[in-house]
Amino acid sequence: MYKHLPDLAPPQTALERLPEEWSAQLEAWGEPKYRGKQVFQWLHARGVLDPAAMTNLPKSLRDRLAQDLVIDAAIQVSSVHDSEDGTKKLLLTTHDGRTSEAVLIPMPSAERGDTYAAEDPSGEETASEPQTPVTQCISTQIGCAMGCVFCASGLAGLKRHMSAGEIVGQVILGRAHTAEGSRLRNVVFMGMGEPLHNYAAVARALTLLTHPEGLALSKRRVTISTSGLVPEIDRLGRDFGGEVQLAVSLHSPDDAQRSQIMPINKKHPLPELMEALRRYPLPKRRRITIEYTLIKGFNADPSDAKKLAELLRGLPVKVNLIPLNRVEGNPLEPPSWDDVDAFQATLRDGGVANFVRRRKGDDIAAACGQLALRNEPKKIRVALPQLRG
Ligand code: SAH
Ligand code: SF4
């Protein structure tokens, strides 16, 4: 039995059925119950979406699956873009003709401190690993409703939530596109959309991705990144026992300053968010990731670093510093590398563990905050923050 199974809404498509839900469906067709697990394993453990290739099933059942269930229609890869640094961007099309994006990021050992590598507290990951671990960044919504001023994903607003099948489908497709000699090891919910705004589908997707009969990803290797939806952070903690890696987009140590760039802060102000982090049921020796996008003239001064260190004192966190990635048509800029170094040093002196996230896939617009809706009118006009100097 699955240990922390949350109270899930019913599955919408074939790809999002759990083994026991497959068993119920197949029993209704007069098939033995154990076939449910077999079908689930084909889809999720082996990534085989074509019923004709499910060779341990009787022909009659394969035919019925092919006829009654359009398994692979949840999401399709429409094109693949390769970056010079090995990053791969998958452009995806949904059944209703929407587009989305997912990114595959190889993680050579030197870069394993980054969130993208979902740092392993057990130390199990060593230089002797024969295959390059790959981190996949997936999307959870078509667009985003949160309207953060530095991000391309929300520029056209929220079009719709993605289903659990579409979310998990990205990982099944991503694994199939992982280069030879590498292995899909971590999944980060850091693509387009706010995962906790689409909680029901994300909870089911997490259950599917970590199911022992399926992809069997370890919960600590799956990271949910949120802009700070407090009730859903609590819910995630409850439903998954704190084992899913939590990343929080903080971007400012000051309540008023944070509201200028992240509208969600007006609904759930910084002190409320910090309280939610304090009560997140984190297992021993694990840390919450704090994401901090550095914006020139706004939040990248050593005084901001000092304030951030004070805010985070005593909390089990590690900070991921992300020099802003430029977004077309948006005048915000990253600080200089010298300023990034100075920020990092001040934070370190303040006793806060931190890493700088190297820009990945910049040349194919696959870096953080660059995933955007293609061919959609950009409706939201963001009010830019007050810059210093
Ligand atoms: N909606 C979620 C997850 C997706 S964004 C969230 O906001 O956390 C993943 C990370 O990229 C977040 O920390 C986000 O704030 C950051 N980000 C967005 N736009 C960016 C940009 N232009 N440059 C650098 N980081 C950006
Ligand atoms: Fe949405 Fe995250 Fe972008 Fe904010 S940073 S608009 S929450 S995707």
Side-chain angles (χ1 to χ4, degrees):
M1 189 55 204
Y2 197 75
K3 218 166 113 209
H4 295 296
L5 193 64
D7 203 4
L8 296 173
Q12 292 176 21
T13 60
L15 203 53
E16 53 193 71
R17 286 197 187 117
L18 288 158
E20 53 273 30
E21 291 164 343
W22 272 112
S23 292
Q25 169 77 58
L26 298 187
E27 267 188 313
W29 290 355
E31 296 285 343
K33 212 170 152 188
Y34 68 87
R35 296 255 182 247
K37 188 163 125 181
Q38 289 178 326
V39 174
F40 183 82
Q41 285 171 335
W42 277 112
L43 295 172
H44 293 270
R46 303 198 198 191
V48 171
L49 303 179
D50 177 7
M54 300 179 179
T55 46
N56 63 355
L57 304 182
K59 172 90 170 57
S60 56
L61 176 56
R62 281 184 266 158
D63 288 347
R64 180 126 201 211
L65 283 170
Q67 234 175 47
D68 288 23
L69 305 159
V70 190
I71 290 173
D72 63 350
I75 196 153
Q76 316 252 5
V77 175
S78 50
S79 61
V80 179
H81 300 258
D82 289 294
S83 160
E84 282 170 5
D85 64 20
T87 301
K88 213 183 257 255
K89 180 161 83 171
L90 308 181
L91 280 188
L92 306 156
T93 314
T94 60
H95 65 92
D96 56 350
R98 296 286 191 185
T99 58
S100 183
E101 306 186 338
V103 184
L104 293 164
I105 309 149
M107 296 306 302
S109 53
E111 294 172 21
R112 306 239 176 114
D114 195 289
T115 311
Y116 277 166
E119 195 195 15
D120 184 351
S122 70
E124 167 202 305
E125 190 173 52
T126 62
S128 62
E129 170 133 19
Q131 292 174 308
T132 307
V134 171
T135 293
Q136 185 177 18
C137 177
I138 59 171
S139 298
T140 53
Q141 294 179 315
I142 309 288
C144 183
M146 299 296 139
C148 304
V149 304
F150 45 82
C151 175
S153 297
L155 284 177
L158 174 66
K159 297 300 167 190
R160 68 165 173 82
H161 292 309
M162 292 176 88
S163 69
E166 288 171 326
I167 298 171
V168 172
Q170 291 172 68
V171 184
I172 292 174
L173 295 170
R175 191 177 47 177
H177 281 84
T178 302
E180 217 174 295
S182 43
R183 188 158 72 92
L184 185 60
R185 197 172 170 91
N186 305 301
V187 171
V188 297
F189 285 59
M190 293 185 185
M192 206 187 302
E194 165 51 55
L196 296 186
H197 186 208
N198 184 13
Y199 189 85
V202 166
R204 180 171 275 277
L206 284 171
T207 308
L208 289 160
L209 291 173
T210 58
H211 198 288
E213 300 294 344
L215 276 143
L217 288 170
S218 145
K219 284 197 205 84
R220 63 164 188 259
R221 294 191 176 285
V222 181
T223 301
I224 299 288
S225 174
T226 178
S227 55
L229 277 65
V230 168
E232 286 76 18
I233 292 176
D234 286 338
R235 208 166 149 196
L236 185 76
R238 268 199 312 274
D239 283 350
F240 296 92
E243 287 178 52
V244 169
Q245 179 64 35
L246 179 66
V248 174
S249 298
L250 206 65
H251 307 326
S252 167
D254 178 271
D255 195 46
Q257 189 191 38
R258 191 168 188 264
S259 288
Q260 282 191 52
I261 53 168
M262 302 180 73
I264 184 72
N265 195 65
K266 291 175 195 147
K267 189 167 178 199
H268 300 294
L270 195 57
E272 196 190 312
L273 176 59
M274 297 311 292
E275 275 312 305
L277 301 193
R278 275 180 229 289
R279 60 176 181 260
Y280 191 72
L282 204 63
K284 277 204 184 80
R285 291 190 298 279
R286 291 272 302 278
R287 287 180 290 174
I288 294 171
T289 303
I290 300 293
E291 293 163 285
Y292 194 100
T293 293
L294 290 159
I295 305 171
K296 183 181 171 179
F298 180 71
N299 64 358
D301 194 78
S303 63
D304 298 304
K306 226 169 163 182
K307 211 165 165 187
L308 181 61
E310 275 159 29
L311 180 73
L312 299 178
R313 187 152 299 144
L315 270 174
V317 294
K318 58 183 172 197
V319 175
N320 239 255
L321 298 170
I322 319 167
L324 182 85
N325 296 305
R326 283 193 177 80
V327 169
E328 205 189 312
N330 188 323
L332 296 178
E333 292 176 64
S336 68
W337 285 109
D338 281 351
D339 288 347
V340 174
D341 287 347
F343 192 97
Q344 193 174 20
T346 310
L347 206 52
R348 201 181 321 116
D349 292 347
V352 178
N354 63 83
F355 312 90
V356 175
R357 185 180 297 170
R358 282 160 204 79
R359 214 159 278 168
K360 290 280 183 182
D362 211 9
D363 53 335
I364 53 168
C368 276
Q370 292 184 329
L371 301 189
L373 293 177
R374 308 287 148 199
N375 315 318
E376 295 273 1
K378 312 282 185 283
K379 268 197 248 141
I380 294 182
R381 267 220 191 89
V382 293
L384 291 172
Q386 199 79 43
L387 300 182
R388 299 168 187 143

